[in-house]
Amino acid sequence: MELLASLAAEERWLFPAFLVMYAAIYCVGQLFVFRRWALRQRLDGSSCLISLFHGTPAALAAAGTILALPAGFRSFAAPNARLQDHVLDYSIAYFTMDLLHYLAFLPGDVLFIAHHLATLFVFLTCRYMVRHGAYALLVLLVLAEVTSLLQNVWTLAGIWRDQSPAAARVYGALSPPFYVLYSLVRGVAGPLFLLKMTVFYLSGQAVDVIPWWVRISWIIVVGTAIAVSNLWIWNLWKELFRERNQATEKAKKDT
């Protein structure tokens, strides 16, 4: 809480410092941490590394901010507090850095680029244009990043599992709990909060502070992101059960 208090008192614009931090972490990943990996693996590993420094800290900061601020700021139409703006800038810097990574090295990954552009649109309009509604985005940030640590470790193990039996075992052990947690957050909690957010914004209660096109676009972007996330995890579940069935059938044949 002391860290949040000092952050709330900080009047400087922190986005440039956050962006430099992510750029430095990315370079460390490329030049040192993953330098012995193949090019594509090194690129994916470096992206995961900055995600590790964003996800859990952002989720904790967002949750702490929601709890620390007075009840008046826990509204879909409340004005943004300085602390909320700093948390948004922390995430904006991350998505900017990761977007630059994809544009520079992986321009064919259209889905990730579209996701980052849409996320930046929502965060930027909230932070710098309407300056209201940060509460909704911080709750969504908690829901989006609460699985980040597990997901990034799972992803790194998946990248390396063909070369390392230990990584393959980690990947196999983490897959079920990660899939369960991700399914609960993105398949249950996320849609329920989106429903609450949609009802509020369509009721016209924020009409004086958030333009209608901003409210509608936020709903569409968040709804699309949740739908794509659920499709992704559904395909992973199917792949997991297919692999388990194949392993079971192989074991029966061997016996």
Side-chain angles (χ1 to χ4, degrees):
M1 285 299 179
E2 290 183 6
L3 178 60
L4 289 176
S6 63
L7 194 59
E10 180 59 66
E11 297 182 359
R12 290 176 299 174
W13 185 41
L14 297 181
F15 169 78
F18 290 147
L19 185 60
V20 169
M21 180 195 75
Y22 283 119
I25 294 169
Y26 182 83
C27 290
V28 168
Q30 285 274 26
L31 300 176
F32 299 102
V33 180
F34 306 111
R35 63 188 176 89
R36 297 185 183 278
W37 291 20
L39 177 60
R40 179 55 197 256
Q41 293 175 330
R42 188 167 72 250
L43 291 172
D44 290 341
S46 299
S47 178
C48 277
L49 185 63
I50 61 171
S51 181
L52 279 168
F53 278 86
H54 168 255
T56 301
L60 292 174
T65 299
I66 292 168
L67 296 174
L69 291 174
F73 288 96
R74 293 194 287 272
S75 165
F76 291 110
N80 297 355
R82 183 189 300 161
L83 182 56
Q84 292 173 320
D85 284 343
H86 289 328
V87 176
L88 289 175
D89 278 339
Y90 187 76
S91 287
I92 290 170
Y94 160 71
F95 282 107
T96 300
M97 185 63 230
D98 208 38
L99 177 62
L100 291 174
H101 154 79
Y102 278 101
L103 291 175
F105 299 111
L106 302 168
D109 281 0
V110 178
L111 186 60
F112 275 99
I113 292 173
H115 170 269
H116 284 16
L117 286 172
T119 302
L120 282 170
F121 166 79
V122 173
F123 281 8
L124 288 170
T125 51
C126 176
R127 169 67 174 91
Y128 295 105
M129 184 181 143
V130 300
R131 296 183 179 276
H132 287 72
Y135 164 73
L137 300 195
L138 292 190
V139 173
L140 291 169
L141 185 60
V142 173
L143 295 176
E145 301 298 345
V146 71
T147 59
S148 177
L149 178 60
L150 191 59
Q151 181 174 352
N152 280 297
V153 174
W154 171 83
T155 300
L156 288 170
I159 293 172
W160 201 238
R161 61 174 170 163
D162 290 337
Q163 288 78 29
S164 169
R169 288 193 296 271
V170 171
Y171 180 86
L174 289 181
S175 290
F178 167 58
Y179 295 176
V180 169
L181 179 60
Y182 194 95
S183 298
L184 290 174
V185 173
R186 302 298 180 100
V188 181
L192 287 176
F193 185 78
L194 174 62
L195 177 61
K196 185 178 180 180
M197 174 179 158
T198 301
V199 170
F200 182 91
Y201 284 139
L202 293 184
S203 70
Q205 296 182 66
V207 67
D208 294 331
V209 293
I210 305 177
W212 67 268
W213 66 269
V214 174
R215 285 177 277 133
I216 297 300
S217 63
W218 286 2
I219 292 169
I220 292 173
V221 168
V222 174
T224 302
I226 289 175
V228 172
S229 295
N230 279 288
L231 179 61
W232 179 72
I233 198 65
W234 171 249
N235 287 331
L236 288 177
W237 275 116
K238 290 196 297 184
E239 181 181 351
L240 177 65
F241 285 122
R242 183 170 60 251
E243 290 175 353
R244 294 286 174 88
N245 289 336
Q246 289 175 350
T248 302
E249 291 176 3
K250 185 176 182 300
K252 288 181 180 179
K253 290 179 180 179
D254 291 341
T255 57

